[in-house]
Amino acid sequence: MIHILLILFIITLFYFAIANRLMTYVSILTIQGLLICVAAVLTLNQITVANLATIILETLVVKAILMPYFIRKVILTNNITREAEPSVPNYVSLLFCTLVVVASYFTSLSIASPTLNKFFLVAALAGIFCGLYFIATRRKVITHVICYVIIENGAFILSLAIGNEMPVLVNLGVILDVLVSVFLLVIFINKVGDVTSEGDVTGLNQLKD
């Protein structure tokens, strides 16, 4: 079951690579949040009320509901064009994501550790490096925010690969990091919107004192 969830997570990365609509990106964030929520619950060795509540808050509430809603509201409020406008063809992005997944698989095989869940490691590395690639190849600032959340999802899966005890304080620290980062980036988007209505990073070179 967990393997199916992680495969679906990787498929969302492939879909992100070929999609061109911002609202599709937001929907992908919702799907990823649901997938990692179920995967995290299934990997718990000891299900306590504190662990379960923290995981649901971090994945289901924050990643699957609040963040997509918040980003969607920013898109509508700032009248950002719905097209993502990637700077490279979609087939190139799809090919890159495929290579990342293959490289992540062979990297996991080269690591000899009895405590490391290699299937989680493949999905985690794919999420992190594909997210970095998406940031480099997307022009809109709001897309960079979305890709940052994808990287955060990969980092969360990486924590599952290393160990599934999930300390409450660590989870709360991750939540705080995600919320503060997204809020700061959204504030930045609102300010950039005063200069460039489309939120295109290519317009940043026109900013002056």
Side-chain angles (χ1 to χ4, degrees):
M1 179 63 181
I2 296 179
H3 290 178
I4 295 177
L5 296 174
L6 295 177
I7 291 174
L8 291 176
F9 177 84
I10 294 175
I11 291 176
T12 62
L13 298 177
F14 292 150
Y15 189 46
F16 193 101
I18 62 176
N20 291 318
R21 304 282 292 180
L22 291 179
M23 291 305 178
T24 302
Y25 292 172
V26 177
S27 299
I28 290 175
L29 290 185
T30 301
I31 295 173
Q32 287 188 353
L34 293 174
L35 291 174
I36 62 178
C37 176
V38 178
V41 172
L42 292 178
T43 55
L44 280 179
N45 285 336
Q46 297 178 350
I47 299 180
T48 64
V49 176
N51 281 343
L52 188 61
T54 303
I55 290 176
I56 292 177
L57 175 63
E58 182 179 352
T59 57
L60 182 62
V61 177
V62 176
K63 292 181 178 293
I65 299 177
L66 290 183
M67 283 188 178
Y69 169 78
F70 192 57
I71 295 175
R72 183 179 288 108
K73 185 175 181 180
V74 170
I75 294 173
L76 297 176
T77 301
N78 290 273
N79 296 319
I80 301 175
T81 304
R82 302 300 186 272
E83 292 294 329
E85 300 176 1
S87 59
V88 297
N90 290 339
Y91 71 88
V92 175
S93 297
L94 183 60
L95 177 61
F96 179 86
C97 290
T98 303
L99 294 176
V100 167
V101 173
V102 173
S104 300
Y105 174 75
F106 285 106
T107 300
S108 66
L109 293 180
S110 64
I111 300 177
S113 175
T115 61
L116 181 65
N117 190 314
K118 296 183 178 181
F119 214 95
F120 277 97
L121 181 62
V122 173
L125 293 178
I128 293 173
F129 287 104
C130 286
L132 291 173
Y133 171 79
F134 294 146
I135 289 179
T137 57
R138 265 57 180 179
R139 298 176 180 175
K140 294 184 181 299
V141 181
I142 187 64
T143 313
H144 293 182
V145 177
I146 296 172
C147 296
Y148 178 80
V149 178
I150 292 178
I151 295 174
E152 288 284 352
N153 291 340
F156 181 86
I157 296 177
L158 184 60
S159 69
L160 297 179
I162 297 174
N164 56 13
E165 294 301 326
M166 307 287 291
V168 175
L169 292 179
V170 174
N171 287 335
L172 292 178
V174 173
I175 294 176
L176 180 62
D177 173 66
V178 171
L179 289 178
V180 171
S181 300
V182 172
F183 278 128
L184 289 177
L185 288 171
V186 169
I187 291 174
F188 174 70
I189 291 170
N190 291 331
K191 293 301 181 182
V192 171
D194 297 336
V195 179
T196 168
S197 59
E198 294 298 325
D200 195 325
V201 294
T202 57
L204 295 179
N205 56 10
Q206 300 176 2
L207 296 178
K208 298 181 180 179
D209 294 335

